[in-house]
Amino acid sequence: MKLSLRAGDTSKPIRLGRIERYVLVQQMRALGVALAVISALVMLIDFVEISRGLGSETDLSALRIVGLMLIKSPQVIVQLLPFVFLFGTLSAFVSLNRRSELIAMRAAGISAWRFVLPAAGMALVLGVLTVTCIGPLAAAGDNLFQRERARISGSVLGAEEDKQAIWLREGEDTRQMVIRAGRQDRANARLLDVTFFIYTTDPQGRRAFSERIDAPAASLSAGRWRLINAVGAQTGQRAVRYATLDLPSSLADDEAFERFARPQATSFWSLPAQISRIEDAGFSSTAYRLRLQQLLATPLMFAAMSILAAAFSLRLMRLGDLAKMTVGAVVLGFAFFFLNQASSAFGSAEVVPPFVAAWLPAMLTALAAFTLLFYTEDG
């Protein structure tokens, strides 16, 4: 198999030759080793954390702790995958350089772009696979771990969760309701210590407060809120007591008790619907929009890390600077990782738009990698 690079030959697709396939095989092997090392460290840390946390509260067997570790660790490993591509690609190309294989390739007139770009393309494909398939499975495992941890810990965590206040918003164009519940009774499907703030909207879009209704308990069923022993007061009028009061609702029966999942624990496929639900409920969806953009930028980040690692390892061994270049690649990789964390913090705080906060680190990493590769290859 040879590359079809003749001028004007556009009928045949560009295929990978033996050299490209050989470099890709070396890269995949190194990525597997890097993934195994990082996964082992993450799982060891999670095993110790679960043992000292849940293991100290309840009597858990080692097998049960391992099971909890296996559903918790993938989410952390997925977040550390950029380092897998950085260290794995760096290791592969350094090994090729130490065995003088890169020297032989370049002495034969083969451009570095010929074996670096296929490696970056493979990283891009693996990034898409991670976002669309592996990431959702890891998010599902993290949600399962959170539920198992709450169940194992007993009623203590459950009672604390039930005591947390719940805020909801629903309504239509002319009428809106903001609902606050001090507690929830999941066993009986009720909200306790409930306050309904009702607003009306005029044709000009101006919203005005209309009525406040307080009740010890409210249950949601068949498209209506049923309030018990409610007290309602409209603007400028005396309070009115109701033994029972029904209010129309557009929520599903289980949505009053459902909490929004954390952005990191929400899969790529669920994020658009989650963003719509959060905005319909009247809350800020910035963190979820940021998470969605970060997932979309993940393949570019993987490819950029691969190009960055390859560019740093192309220097000839006889020049004596390979060790310094390798250390520089690791330092620069960590610098971009911390830039990503800082950018996420700015995006969550709405200092910068989520799109900019998510794509800026990946773009800067890619630009730095291409700049270094141009300088190394073309001078």
Coordinates of all heavy atoms in Angstrom, one line a residue, residues 42-43 46-47 50 54 63-78 134-152 262 265:
V42 N -5.1 5.5 39.1 CA -6.5 6.0 39.4 C -7.2 5.0 40.2 O -7.8 5.3 41.2 CB -7.2 6.4 38.1 CG1 -8.7 6.7 38.5 CG2 -6.6 7.6 37.5
M43 N -7.2 3.8 39.8 CA -7.9 2.7 40.5 C -7.3 2.5 41.9 O -8.1 2.2 42.9 CB -7.9 1.4 39.7 CG -8.7 1.4 38.4 SD -8.7 -0.1 37.6 CE -9.8 0.3 36.2
D46 N -8.6 5.3 44.0 CA -10.1 5.2 44.3 C -10.3 4.0 45.3 O -11.2 4.1 46.1 CB -10.8 4.9 43.0 CG -11.0 6.2 42.1 OD1 -10.9 7.3 42.7 OD2 -11.3 6.0 40.9
F47 N -9.5 3.0 45.2 CA -9.7 1.8 46.1 C -9.4 2.3 47.5 O -10.2 2.0 48.5 CB -8.8 0.7 45.7 CG -8.9 -0.5 46.5 CD1 -9.8 -1.5 46.2 CD2 -8.1 -0.7 47.7 CE1 -10.0 -2.6 47.0 CE2 -8.2 -1.9 48.4 CZ -9.2 -2.8 48.1
I50 N -12.3 4.7 48.7 CA -13.5 4.0 49.0 C -13.4 3.2 50.3 O -14.3 3.2 51.1 CB -14.0 3.1 47.8 CG1 -14.3 4.0 46.6 CG2 -15.2 2.3 48.2 CD1 -14.6 3.1 45.4
L54 N -16.4 4.8 52.5 CA -17.5 3.9 52.8 C -17.1 2.7 53.6 O -17.9 2.2 54.4 CB -18.0 3.4 51.4 CG -18.7 4.5 50.5 CD1 -19.1 3.8 49.2 CD2 -19.8 5.1 51.2
L63 N -14.1 -7.5 47.7 CA -14.7 -7.7 46.4 C -15.7 -6.6 46.1 O -15.8 -6.0 44.9 CB -15.4 -9.0 46.3 CG -16.0 -9.4 44.9 CD1 -14.9 -9.5 43.9 CD2 -16.7 -10.8 45.0
R64 N -16.5 -6.2 47.1 CA -17.5 -5.1 46.9 C -16.8 -3.7 46.7 O -17.2 -2.9 45.8 CB -18.4 -5.0 48.1 CG -19.5 -4.0 48.0 CD -20.5 -4.4 46.9 NE -21.5 -3.5 46.6 CZ -22.6 -3.3 47.3 NH1 -22.8 -4.1 48.4 NH2 -23.5 -2.5 47.0
I65 N -15.7 -3.5 47.3 CA -15.0 -2.3 47.1 C -14.4 -2.2 45.7 O -14.4 -1.2 45.1 CB -13.8 -2.1 48.2 CG1 -14.4 -2.0 49.6 CG2 -12.9 -0.9 47.9 CD1 -13.4 -2.0 50.7
V66 N -13.9 -3.4 45.2 CA -13.4 -3.4 43.9 C -14.5 -3.1 42.9 O -14.3 -2.4 41.9 CB -12.7 -4.8 43.6 CG1 -12.4 -5.0 42.1 CG2 -11.5 -5.0 44.4
G67 N -15.7 -3.7 43.1 CA -16.8 -3.4 42.2 C -17.1 -1.9 42.2 O -17.4 -1.3 41.1
L68 N -17.2 -1.2 43.3 CA -17.4 0.2 43.4 C -16.3 1.0 42.7 O -16.6 2.0 42.0 CB -17.6 0.6 44.8 CG -18.8 0.1 45.6 CD1 -18.7 0.5 47.1 CD2 -20.1 0.7 45.0
M69 N -15.1 0.5 42.9 CA -14.0 1.2 42.2 C -14.1 1.1 40.7 O -13.8 2.1 40.0 CB -12.7 0.5 42.7 CG -11.4 1.0 42.0 SD -10.1 -0.1 42.2 CE -10.6 -1.5 41.2
L70 N -14.5 -0.1 40.2 CA -14.6 -0.3 38.8 C -15.7 0.6 38.1 O -15.6 0.9 36.9 CB -14.9 -1.7 38.4 CG -13.7 -2.7 38.7 CD1 -14.1 -4.1 38.5 CD2 -12.5 -2.3 37.9
I71 N -16.7 1.0 38.8 CA -17.7 1.9 38.2 C -17.5 3.3 38.5 O -18.0 4.2 37.8 CB -19.2 1.5 38.8 CG1 -19.2 1.7 40.3 CG2 -19.5 0.1 38.4 CD1 -20.6 1.5 40.8
K72 N -16.5 3.6 39.4 CA -16.2 5.0 39.7 C -15.0 5.5 38.9 O -15.0 6.6 38.4 CB -15.9 5.2 41.2 CG -15.5 6.6 41.6 CD -15.2 6.7 43.1 CE -14.9 8.1 43.5 NZ -13.6 8.6 42.9
S73 N -14.0 4.6 38.7 CA -12.7 5.1 38.1 C -12.8 5.5 36.7 O -12.1 6.4 36.3 CB -11.7 3.9 38.3 OG -11.4 3.7 39.6
P74 N -13.6 4.9 35.8 CA -13.7 5.3 34.4 C -13.9 6.8 34.2 O -13.3 7.3 33.2 CB -14.8 4.4 33.8 CG -14.8 3.2 34.6 CD -14.5 3.7 36.0
Q75 N -14.7 7.4 35.0 CA -15.0 8.8 34.8 C -13.7 9.6 35.0 O -13.5 10.6 34.3 CB -16.1 9.2 35.8 CG -16.5 10.7 35.7 CD -17.3 11.0 34.4 OE1 -17.5 10.2 33.6 NE2 -17.7 12.2 34.3
V76 N -12.9 9.3 36.0 CA -11.7 10.0 36.2 C -10.7 9.7 35.1 O -9.9 10.6 34.7 CB -11.1 9.6 37.6 CG1 -9.8 10.4 37.9 CG2 -12.1 9.9 38.7
I77 N -10.6 8.4 34.7 CA -9.7 8.1 33.6 C -10.0 8.8 32.3 O -9.1 9.3 31.7 CB -9.7 6.5 33.4 CG1 -9.2 5.8 34.7 CG2 -8.9 6.1 32.2 CD1 -9.4 4.3 34.6
V78 N -11.3 9.0 32.0 CA -11.6 9.7 30.8 C -11.2 11.2 30.9 O -10.7 11.7 29.9 CB -13.2 9.6 30.6 CG1 -13.6 10.6 29.5 CG2 -13.6 8.2 30.2
I134 N -17.5 6.0 24.9 CA -16.8 5.7 26.2 C -17.3 6.7 27.3 O -17.6 6.3 28.4 CB -15.3 5.7 26.0 CG1 -14.9 4.7 25.0 CG2 -14.6 5.4 27.4 CD1 -13.4 4.7 24.7
G135 N -17.4 8.0 26.9 CA -17.8 9.0 27.9 C -19.1 8.7 28.5 O -19.3 8.8 29.7
P136 N -20.2 8.5 27.7 CA -21.5 8.2 28.2 C -21.5 7.0 29.2 O -22.2 7.0 30.2 CB -22.4 7.9 27.0 CG -21.7 8.8 25.9 CD -20.3 8.7 26.2
L137 N -20.7 5.9 28.8 CA -20.6 4.8 29.7 C -20.0 5.1 31.0 O -20.4 4.7 32.1 CB -19.9 3.6 29.0 CG -20.5 3.0 27.8 CD1 -19.6 2.0 27.2 CD2 -21.9 2.4 28.2
A138 N -18.9 5.9 31.0 CA -18.3 6.4 32.2 C -19.2 7.2 33.1 O -19.2 7.1 34.3 CB -17.0 7.1 31.9
A139 N -20.0 8.1 32.4 CA -20.9 8.9 33.2 C -22.0 8.1 33.8 O -22.4 8.3 35.0 CB -21.6 10.0 32.2
A140 N -22.5 7.1 33.1 CA -23.5 6.2 33.7 C -22.9 5.4 34.9 O -23.6 5.2 35.9 CB -24.0 5.2 32.6
G141 N -21.6 5.0 34.8 CA -21.0 4.4 35.9 C -20.8 5.3 37.1 O -21.0 4.9 38.3
D142 N -20.5 6.5 36.9 CA -20.4 7.5 38.0 C -21.7 7.7 38.6 O -21.8 7.8 39.9 CB -19.8 8.8 37.4 CG -19.6 9.8 38.5 OD1 -18.7 9.6 39.3 OD2 -20.3 10.8 38.6
N143 N -22.8 7.8 37.9 CA -24.1 8.0 38.5 C -24.5 6.7 39.3 O -25.1 6.9 40.4 CB -25.2 8.2 37.4 CG -25.1 9.6 36.8 OD1 -24.8 10.6 37.5 ND2 -25.4 9.7 35.5
L144 N -24.2 5.6 38.8 CA -24.4 4.3 39.5 C -23.7 4.3 40.8 O -24.2 3.9 41.9 CB -24.1 3.1 38.6 CG -24.3 1.7 39.3 CD1 -25.8 1.5 39.7 CD2 -23.8 0.6 38.3
F145 N -22.4 4.8 40.8 CA -21.6 4.8 42.0 C -22.2 5.8 43.0 O -22.3 5.4 44.2 CB -20.2 5.2 41.7 CG -19.3 5.5 42.9 CD1 -18.8 4.5 43.7 CD2 -19.1 6.8 43.3 CE1 -18.1 4.7 44.8 CE2 -18.4 7.1 44.4 CZ -17.8 6.1 45.2
Q146 N -22.7 6.9 42.6 CA -23.3 7.9 43.5 C -24.5 7.3 44.2 O -24.8 7.4 45.4 CB -23.7 9.2 42.8 CG -22.5 9.9 42.2 CD -21.5 10.4 43.2 OE1 -21.8 10.6 44.3 NE2 -20.3 10.5 42.8
R147 N -25.4 6.5 43.4 CA -26.5 5.9 44.0 C -26.2 4.8 45.0 O -26.8 4.6 46.0 CB -27.4 5.4 42.9 CG -28.1 6.4 42.0 CD -29.2 5.9 41.2 NE -28.8 4.8 40.3 CZ -28.4 5.1 39.0 NH1 -28.4 6.4 38.6 NH2 -28.0 4.1 38.2
E148 N -25.2 4.0 44.6 CA -24.7 2.9 45.5 C -24.1 3.5 46.7 O -24.3 2.9 47.8 CB -23.7 2.0 44.7 CG -24.3 1.1 43.7 CD -25.3 0.1 44.3 OE1 -24.9 -0.5 45.3 OE2 -26.4 -0.1 43.8
R149 N -23.4 4.5 46.6 CA -22.8 5.1 47.8 C -23.9 5.6 48.8 O -23.8 5.4 50.0 CB -21.8 6.3 47.4 CG -21.1 6.9 48.6 CD -20.2 8.0 48.2 NE -20.9 9.1 47.6 CZ -20.3 10.3 47.3 NH1 -19.0 10.4 47.4 NH2 -21.0 11.3 46.8
A150 N -24.9 6.3 48.2 CA -26.0 6.8 49.1 C -26.8 5.6 49.7 O -27.2 5.7 50.8 CB -27.0 7.6 48.2
R151 N -26.9 4.5 48.9 CA -27.7 3.4 49.5 C -26.9 2.7 50.6 O -27.4 2.3 51.6 CB -28.0 2.4 48.4 CG -28.9 1.3 48.8 CD -29.2 0.3 47.6 NE -28.0 -0.4 47.2 CZ -27.5 -1.5 47.8 NH1 -28.1 -2.0 48.9 NH2 -26.4 -2.0 47.4
I152 N -25.5 2.5 50.3 CA -24.7 1.8 51.3 C -24.6 2.7 52.6 O -24.6 2.1 53.7 CB -23.3 1.6 50.7 CG1 -23.4 0.5 49.6 CG2 -22.3 1.1 51.8 CD1 -22.1 0.3 48.8
R262 N -25.0 16.3 37.9 CA -23.8 17.2 37.7 C -23.4 17.2 36.3 O -23.5 16.2 35.6 CB -22.7 16.7 38.6 CG -23.0 16.7 40.1 CD -21.9 16.2 40.9 NE -21.7 14.7 40.7 CZ -20.7 14.2 40.1 NH1 -19.7 15.0 39.6 NH2 -20.6 12.9 39.9
A265 N -21.2 14.4 35.3 CA -21.9 13.1 35.3 C -23.0 13.0 34.2 O -23.7 12.0 34.3 CB -22.5 12.8 36.7

